[in-house]
Amino acid sequence: MSDVGAVDWEPDAIVRVLTGLERLLADPTLVPGERWALLTNDTAVTADLVSAKNALNGTGQLRALLAPEHGLHGTAQAGFTEQDATDSATGLPIIDVYAAESSDIANALREMRVDAVIADIQDVGTRYYTYAATVIDVMTASIQAGIPFYVLDRPNPLNGVTREGPGLEPDFASLVGRLDVPIRHGLTLGELAQHAARSAGIQLPSVIRMEGWGRSMTWADTGLPWVMPSPNLPTTDTALVYPGTALFEGTTLSEGRGTTRPFEIVGAPWLTASYAASLNALGLPGVAFREARFVPTFSKHRGEVCVGVQVHVLDPGLFEPVRTGVEMLMLAANLGEGFGWLTPPDIGLGAQHFIDKLWGASSLREAIPGARQVSDVMAPITRGNMGELLY
């Protein structure tokens, strides 16, 4: 194993979970062939914080790196990637696969003459997050090119038990949702990839499973270091609220981008202090709301004073992020004339309302405003077929 970027500490005493990456490094024969392409970014690290690309480059088998949204190093904002063509640490070429057509990815893989494609990237447990869609696209391209595809599995940071939110209607499939699974889906990336393959009727990917991971584990239980998956998902606290507050991306309210607490802070210039009080009066389980004022440095309402709330999760075991996000959305829609729905960003999502892409159906938008209670919105939910589980 390469020691590039290693830090001076002994993880073996505290790490409970052995990731797919660690297992491959211990036994490189788990992936056959002499020429590998790796879909990854800086979230994929060993227990002692060596990146997957640096560690696997030490085997001498890596030939190319495939980069998702936010880029190889996670510096790009939502909807963008980095422009680097070569990785300075390994000297390997970087292929941008975010929002790319599977046929184009397949052609690139053929040209590189690789005999295995490996995915190692940290998912966040929420259907909207684009990493799963990118893995599915690269998997499809690999199979089209006749190249075996492998997933180095990692924990679902929200646990592998709790599921919440609607399934995905086929007409609303996109980069922010490829599969008919709940918004908070409770699956690992390996399970998502196998579910996608079964749904498409294509060859199943090979998953190099974790050792020591149990479905009830939160991230804190794994003993693994957390690396922020993107610029606006800095902590596991953010990941926990994200399944609900990311719905605000489809509205005219700020979801906290341009602050140090994205997705934990929500607000708009037209909201008032009554928003926090009204949310607390609902008595939602495991959560409290603090009145917050903030000025985004970029994105929606840049440079304007926004009034809203900070979401404080008091009990993660009781907290229901999707239900909480819907309650927040319903209340905000009825508190000011500035509320509205946004069209998707220009990343191939089409002209439908962005909220429909996130929710996986038009039912949420059509019910708000007008819904009197959350059951009016949540009642139409259908949960997707979760397929077979690996753990």
Side-chain angles (χ1 to χ4, degrees):
M1 180 191 302
S2 168
D3 63 357
V4 176
V7 292
D8 188 19
W9 63 301
E10 292 294 332
D12 292 345
I14 60 171
V15 170
R16 301 178 186 177
V17 173
L18 196 68
T19 64
L21 172 63
E22 301 275 10
R23 291 193 59 215
L24 179 59
L25 290 169
D27 181 8
T29 65
L30 290 172
V31 177
E34 298 181 354
R35 298 177 62 87
W36 297 345
L38 177 66
L39 169 58
T40 193
N41 64 7
D42 280 357
T43 63
V45 294
T46 64
D48 55 353
L49 293 172
V50 181
S51 70
K53 67 181 180 65
N54 290 347
L56 291 175
N57 193 47
T59 68
Q61 290 158 286
L62 274 192
R63 295 295 183 269
L65 301 172
L66 311 180
E69 184 182 14
H70 308 295
L72 187 66
H73 300 293
T75 63
Q77 287 294 332
F80 296 93
T81 57
E82 298 161 341
Q83 301 302 309
D84 296 338
T86 304
D87 176 43
S88 59
T90 62
L92 294 169
I94 301 172
I95 310 299
D96 180 5
V97 293
Y98 172 58
E101 295 290 338
S102 291
S103 57
D104 293 335
I105 301 172
N107 289 334
L109 294 174
R110 290 189 190 99
E111 290 175 2
M112 290 184 290
R113 293 182 293 111
V114 297
D115 40 37
V117 179
I118 304 169
D120 188 15
I121 194 167
Q122 181 61 58
D123 189 44
V124 303
T126 301
R127 191 184 67 215
Y128 329 122
Y129 216 65
T130 63
Y131 291 170
T134 297
V135 168
I136 293 168
D137 290 345
V138 174
M139 174 183 70
T140 302
S142 299
I143 292 169
Q144 288 175 358
I147 303 169
F149 187 79
Y150 296 81
V151 178
L152 308 185
D153 220 1
R154 292 184 172 272
N156 183 318
L158 305 183
N159 78 42
V161 176
T162 310
R163 297 165 187 162
E164 189 189 4
L168 177 76
E169 295 183 5
D171 289 345
F172 296 91
S174 71
L175 273 169
V176 292
R178 283 274 191 263
L179 297 177
D180 180 20
V181 295
I183 289 174
R184 180 178 177 179
H185 51 67
L187 301 177
T188 69
L189 194 56
E191 290 171 334
L192 285 169
Q194 290 205 337
H195 180 39
R198 288 190 190 95
S199 299
I202 60 177
Q203 179 183 341
L204 293 183
S206 298
V207 178
I208 299 181
R209 303 183 188 188
M210 297 174 281
E211 293 181 358
W213 185 70
R215 304 206 74 90
S216 63
M217 283 184 171
T218 65
W219 188 264
D221 298 324
T222 67
L224 295 172
W226 174 260
V227 177
M228 54 194 290
S230 59
N232 292 292
L233 206 78
T235 70
T236 53
D237 290 338
T238 322
L240 184 56
V241 301
Y242 180 77
T245 54
L247 293 170
F248 282 90
E249 292 194 76
T251 76
T252 50
L253 278 80
S254 167
E255 66 276 6
R257 292 184 187 274
T259 76
T260 59
R261 288 288 180 176
F263 299 107
E264 295 178 56
I265 293 177
V266 170
W270 62 85
L271 286 181
T272 68
S274 65
Y275 186 49
S278 297
L279 285 171
N280 283 320
L282 295 174
L284 296 174
V287 65
F289 302 90
R290 179 185 64 84
E291 179 192 349
R293 296 170 189 260
F294 58 97
V295 180
T297 59
F298 64 88
S299 194
K300 289 181 260 182
H301 308 303
R302 174 183 177 182
E304 297 182 77
V305 176
C306 294
V307 179
V309 295
Q310 181 174 355
V311 182
H312 292 267
V313 178
L314 307 180
D315 187 334
L318 295 177
F319 178 57
E320 300 172 280
V322 178
R323 175 190 171 190
T324 299
V326 170
E327 293 275 19
M328 293 172 67
L329 201 56
M330 288 173 56
L331 190 57
N334 292 289
L335 284 181
E337 296 181 357
F339 181 87
W341 305 108
L342 300 181
T343 55
D346 187 18
I347 52 172
L349 296 182
Q352 292 168 308
H353 291 279
F354 193 23
I355 190 67
D356 296 354
K357 294 291 190 178
L358 295 170
W359 189 248
S362 60
S363 55
L364 177 64
R365 175 178 53 84
E366 291 167 352
I368 299 175
R372 294 181 178 273
Q373 53 190 3
V374 72
S375 60
D376 295 340
V377 176
M378 302 288 272
I381 286 177
T382 57
R383 298 179 184 274
N385 176 15
M386 303 304 292
E388 297 179 20
L389 302 180
L390 294 172
Y391 305 90

